[in-house]
Amino acid sequence: MEGELRYRRASSWEYDLILREAEKYGGLKHHFFAVVEGRFRDVYAVNERVWAEIEGLNIKPYAYGTFVGTIKVDRNLVEKFYPNVEFFYFVDVGKNYAVLSPKAGFLFTTGKDVPRSGVRKYSWQGTKKLVIYDENGTLLGIGRINPESRRKFILNVTDVGEFIRRKR
């Protein structure tokens, strides 16, 4: 049985981890999540109607929903939800975000850090992580604010261009 995946709804504890992460940036717009348990616990945003059909199948699904992050246990044995970029399509972001100029947005999506001069607008409250957008409201990725530096004001954590740049 080792190596077998388990598919299930997110438990109330897991949903609470997801909700707490979303509240750092705004409100959660989606409320139905499923978990695939393997080496890690991968979290997917799932349509409730589709989930009802999946539960009725006799075979295990290959994939479902949108992958939004992973739940991991850290060194202190504390569970934490680590969102990916797609998670923020399901969050009504109202704080902890930055809007970049076109040139800075291009730099960010190529994996580079952004200088203070490339930031058009930002909101920063509490957490160091920011959701990064371009001027058109397109989600570019996740960055970490570095207020002491003007040259590397926003450090790239992950971005939408990462998939294209990955080593094969």
Side-chain angles (χ1 to χ4, degrees), residues 5-8 34-38 40-44 64:
L5 299 176
R6 271 188 53 213
Y7 302 84
R8 60 179 175 76
V35 173
V36 175
E37 284 186 273
F40 300 109
R41 284 182 286 166
D42 293 335
V43 180
Y44 293 82
Y64 56 84

Side-chain angles (χ1 to χ4, degrees), residues 92-121:
D92 187 18
V93 177
K95 58 185 176 181
N96 295 320
Y97 68 90
V99 177
L100 305 182
S101 68
K103 184 178 178 183
F106 174 76
L107 283 173
F108 190 81
T109 58
T110 59
K112 307 287 189 290
D113 298 329
V114 177
R116 174 66 183 99
S117 60
V119 178
R120 295 272 194 248
K121 172 179 153 183

Side-chain angles (χ1 to χ4, degrees), residues 12-38:
S12 59
W13 173 255
E14 292 163 332
Y15 180 76
D16 190 47
L17 291 174
I18 296 164
L19 186 60
R20 277 189 271 153
E21 187 65 26
E23 287 173 346
K24 293 177 185 177
Y25 305 94
L28 192 59
K29 296 189 287 189
H30 187 79
H31 301 286
F32 194 84
F33 296 92
V35 173
V36 175
E37 284 186 273

